[in-house]
Amino acid sequence: MRIAIVGGTGTLGRRVAEELRTRGHEVRILSRHAPDHPVDLTTGAGLDTALAGCDTVVDASNSRGSARAAERTLVAGTRNLLAAEQRAAVGHHVCVSVVGCDRVPVGYYRVKTAQERTVTEGPTPWTVVRAAQFHELLGEVFTLLGRLRVLPVPRVRLQSIACAEAARAVADAAERPPRLGRIEVVGPEPADARELARTWRAVTGRRALQLPVPLPGGVGRALRAGALTTDRPDVRGTVPFAVWLTGETAGR
């Protein structure tokens, strides 16, 4: 198939593109700075040309700015993307989302929930792949905080997964017919963020002081209760955070 990857230069998008290429598909990388298919979701610029002849679109775009900036990219941008897909007769839209985004009342997750709703109400047959937080993201956060020799970590129950395993699940979804439903993808085991921080310190040998951070209110209760995890995933990864981190550390 000819598959367009929106956000194909990002952490997940790159791996999804690599996975699909190894399976024999023609992959187009779409992003603001893509050399062959530059697009801007917020304006729709470049989308018609980039999607011409594509069978499937995987939307792995993201936004690290404010909630308002995220809404422009992920909600308004999704509307632009779906409209372009309809003009190009794309048959399948795969939206990458977050496990439990509809259970955590905070800005970014509200935006992801709105993005999902835009997709499910849109004109293109769809599949939503909800992935848990990536090991890579946790490693990046702990490394940044560790440079300050302090790890302020709240009690948050997570079920993180290696990005490569999440990418395989997204690639699987792209190859299959539209599900008109959600697929939940998580790591092999749930763990508290404080436990993961201790694992990071042990494996990397960093001596950052770990400090507990309270999360009050409904958001704190939801995160402590495991709103970002699921007991019955459709796909469960096999690589624990400690094993992934050991491999990353050994490769440096």
Side-chain angles (χ1 to χ4, degrees):
M1 293 188 293
R2 181 177 292 161
I3 302 174
I5 313 292
V6 184
T9 57
T11 301
L12 177 67
R14 285 186 288 106
R15 288 173 172 84
V16 174
E18 292 166 3
E19 181 69 24
L20 287 168
R21 285 193 181 109
T22 64
R23 301 184 188 191
H25 301 290
E26 179 186 339
V27 174
R28 289 184 181 175
I29 302 298
L30 279 59
S31 73
R32 285 191 176 191
H33 304 294
D36 297 321
H37 302 287
V39 301
D40 187 339
L41 287 179
T42 62
T43 65
L47 287 175
D48 286 338
T49 300
L51 297 184
C54 289
D55 304 292
T56 296
V57 170
V58 174
D59 185 5
S61 61
N62 202 1
S63 176
R64 291 194 175 189
S66 65
R68 181 172 296 181
E71 188 170 8
R72 286 196 297 268
T73 299
L74 300 179
V75 181
T78 292
R79 292 193 191 102
N80 291 333
L81 180 58
L82 292 171
E85 289 173 8
Q86 189 174 28
R87 292 190 293 270
V90 170
H92 188 188
H93 179 97
V94 179
C95 171
V96 179
S97 190
V98 182
V99 169
C101 63
D102 55 342
R103 298 193 293 267
V104 182
V106 72
Y108 178 75
Y109 292 125
R110 284 183 173 135
V111 170
K112 292 300 291 182
T113 302
Q115 180 190 27
E116 287 190 14
R117 186 166 54 250
T118 302
V119 169
T120 61
E121 295 174 354
T124 307
W126 55 276
T127 302
V128 171
V129 180
R130 284 183 167 184
Q133 286 67 32
F134 300 142
H135 293 336
E136 285 81 353
L137 174 61
L138 295 179
E140 178 183 338
V141 170
F142 291 150
T143 298
L144 288 173
L145 293 174
R147 290 173 183 167
L148 304 175
R149 297 190 178 276
V150 176
L151 285 180
V153 186
R155 279 186 58 204
V156 177
R157 194 154 181 80
L158 301 172
Q159 206 164 358
S160 62
I161 184 170
C163 190
E165 293 192 302
R168 285 194 289 273
V170 174
D172 289 343
E175 287 185 320
R176 295 169 183 159
R179 186 182 181 104
L180 301 181
R182 293 171 176 80
I183 298 169
E184 294 197 313
V185 183
V186 301
E189 54 194 19
D192 189 278
R194 296 177 183 181
E195 178 185 342
L196 296 171
R198 287 193 292 271
T199 298
W200 178 84
R201 289 194 304 165
V203 173
T204 63
R206 301 291 291 271
R207 295 186 177 181
L209 176 65
Q210 189 167 326
L211 297 176
V213 176
L215 284 178
V219 171
R221 285 193 297 273
L223 294 175
R224 289 191 296 273
L228 298 178
T229 69
T230 180
D231 294 330
R232 296 182 179 179
D234 299 283
V235 179
R236 190 185 296 272
T238 61
V239 181
F241 180 63
V243 173
W244 172 85
L245 190 57
T246 299
E248 287 292 299
T249 303
R252 291 174 184 168

